[in-house]
Amino acid sequence: MGHFLPELPEYLIEWILKQQMFWVATSPLSEDGHVNISPKGIQGTFHVVNSRRVWYEDLSGTGAETVAHIRENGRITILFHAFEGPARIVRLYGKGFFHEIGSPEYEALLPPNKRIPGSRAIIGLDIFKVGTTCGYAVPYYNFVGHRSQLVDWAAKKELADIDDAASSSASLTVSSPEQTSQDPTSPPSYDIKGMKYWWVTRNMRSLDGLPAFSADIGRTFKFAISFPFGRSYQKATSQAAVTSVTYSSPALPANTIRSSPTKDAIAIDSDFIPTQQLYQSLHAWLITILPFIFIFILGILLGRGYDQYLSTSSPLSFATHRAERSVASALVSKSMRS
């Protein structure tokens, strides 16, 4: 049932690139430290360099356990399992490495116009063992689609950083204490709504206090939101196809990457509005039409109230009022016919 291989064979590479999610497991050296298991999705983030090296695009989140553990000891296991078709579990055992956003290695693999919003690092491993098991206990699940919330959230934060960089007079800025202590003469200031502020306040250490990302993460990186996100991303990924990308990195020799479905192969419907743009359009439409609705309802209420007042105060006055309105209507109709 179980087999161990020294590297990834071709048939497993093809199978891996068809999977919609995978799991990453790491742990600290401390015997009472937190063992971490992270589910990963978002189509187009996992890449196979060759039979002994893989990497994935690490997206921003609440913690940074994987990076902290790799920094300390390098141990990492990536697991894939089948939710449909023949049962199978594949584990990739290896020595982990990572490249932070803004580093030459990161930008060689993910230039600004290729990265997904929220991408903060490249995490990979050099494989020394591949394990396959039956997976008979894994249930069947039907894949519906990838969630868009994470990409939407990250894109909004990166847009805040873009606006902050374009304006030297940002209204809400806070200096990172860790960066201030390292460079007190020139502490960087980040918009508290931006992604860089999130990194320096949420992703510096693991649950066990191990150092994760550096205090300079993304300091000089210039965000460029050039990839459609939100519901456009969710719809587009269903149309993607496996592609091949060639890169050259200072730390790695030139290789051909076998990639899971990526942004390069995505066809976007021109009339499909991203989530954020849709909200903005609805908001503008409501602001425009609400005053007219209010005036219309107010007119109806005032008219009914006046009629009720006349009917209760004086039946004769009410009848006279109705007669005057009828005469006025008749005169208007006659003038229009003439």
Side-chain angles (χ1 to χ4, degrees):
M1 294 175 67
H3 297 86
F4 290 101
L5 305 166
E7 60 185 6
L8 274 172
E10 184 67 22
Y11 75 93
L12 284 184
I13 293 177
E14 294 178 359
W15 178 82
I16 282 175
L17 296 178
K18 295 177 182 178
Q19 305 312 303
Q20 302 296 341
M21 67 170 295
F22 56 97
W23 305 80
V24 179
T26 58
S27 67
L29 294 176
S30 171
E31 62 181 14
D32 58 352
H34 292 77
V35 176
N36 185 66
I37 303 175
S38 296
K40 303 292 182 182
I42 308 297
Q43 208 160 9
T45 57
F46 190 84
H47 304 265
V48 177
V49 178
N50 52 47
S51 62
R52 291 182 177 271
R53 172 168 283 195
V54 298
W55 64 271
Y56 67 89
E57 188 173 1
D58 182 47
L59 304 181
S60 299
T62 304
E65 300 297 298
T66 303
V67 168
H69 297 161
I70 290 177
R71 183 186 289 276
E72 184 199 39
N73 57 67
R75 298 182 301 179
I76 183 172
T77 298
I78 296 180
L79 179 145
F80 292 86
H81 57 80
F83 285 115
E84 56 187 9
R88 175 180 285 161
I89 295 175
V90 174
R91 293 177 177 88
L92 308 181
Y93 304 94
K95 186 73 172 179
F97 61 88
F98 71 94
H99 303 302
E100 286 186 2
I101 184 172
S103 66
E105 296 84 358
Y106 177 94
E107 295 189 11
L109 296 174
L110 289 173
N113 63 331
K114 298 292 184 181
R115 62 182 290 276
I116 294 175
S119 174
R120 62 185 178 181
I122 286 169
I123 295 179
L125 75 160
D126 292 316
I127 299 169
F128 61 73
K129 183 183 291 186
V130 177
T132 65
T133 52
C134 63
Y136 293 158
V138 178
Y140 286 105
Y141 279 100
N142 292 324
F143 175 70
V144 176
H146 289 283
R147 301 178 189 270
S148 64
Q149 288 92 332
L150 180 63
V151 182
D152 275 334
W153 168 83
K156 183 177 180 180
K157 284 190 169 296
E158 291 189 8
L159 286 172
D161 280 322
I162 292 173
D163 292 340
D164 185 50
S167 173
S168 59
S169 58
S171 58
L172 294 174
T173 57
V174 176
S175 298
S176 163
E178 293 190 45
Q179 291 188 348
T180 302
S181 61
Q182 287 195 1
D183 187 10
T185 61
S186 179
S189 294
Y190 298 133
D191 189 331
I192 63 173
K193 296 180 181 179
M195 182 58 73
K196 293 183 180 182
Y197 180 81
W198 178 272
W199 288 336
V200 299
T201 56
R202 302 292 188 95
N203 295 164
M204 291 294 98
R205 293 189 175 275
S206 72
L207 292 173
D208 301 310
L210 297 174
F213 289 101
S214 70
D216 287 330
I217 178 174
R219 180 172 180 176
T220 60
F221 187 83
K222 295 181 179 180
F223 292 118
I225 304 294
S226 60
F227 176 65
F229 51 91
R231 294 199 302 167
S232 287
Y233 175 80
Q234 191 174 25
K235 181 177 181 180
T237 51
S238 65
Q239 305 172 10
V242 175
T243 63
S244 178
V245 181
T246 301
Y247 75 91
S248 178
S249 167
L252 305 173
N255 294 282
T256 298
I257 303 176
R258 293 284 300 281
S259 306
S260 56
T262 68
K263 305 175 284 295
D264 298 322
I266 291 172
I268 302 294
D269 290 349
S270 59
D271 60 345
F272 199 83
I273 304 174
T275 305
Q276 191 172 15
Q277 294 180 7
L278 178 63
Y279 289 159
Q280 292 174 350
S281 299
L282 288 175
H283 184 259
W285 180 79
L286 287 174
I287 290 177
T288 303
I289 199 172
L290 278 177
F292 296 99
I293 296 176
F294 175 78
I295 293 173
F296 177 76
I297 295 175
L298 183 62
I300 293 176
L301 293 176
L302 289 175
R304 289 184 176 180
Y306 185 63
D307 286 346
Q308 186 176 6
Y309 167 76
L310 291 177
S311 63
T312 55
S313 62
S314 172
L316 181 60
S317 299
F318 180 72
T320 303
H321 172 67
R322 295 294 297 271
E324 289 175 351
R325 288 204 304 184
S326 299
V327 171
S329 299
L331 290 174
V332 171
S333 300
K334 183 177 180 181
S335 63
M336 291 179 65
R337 287 196 298 270
S338 61

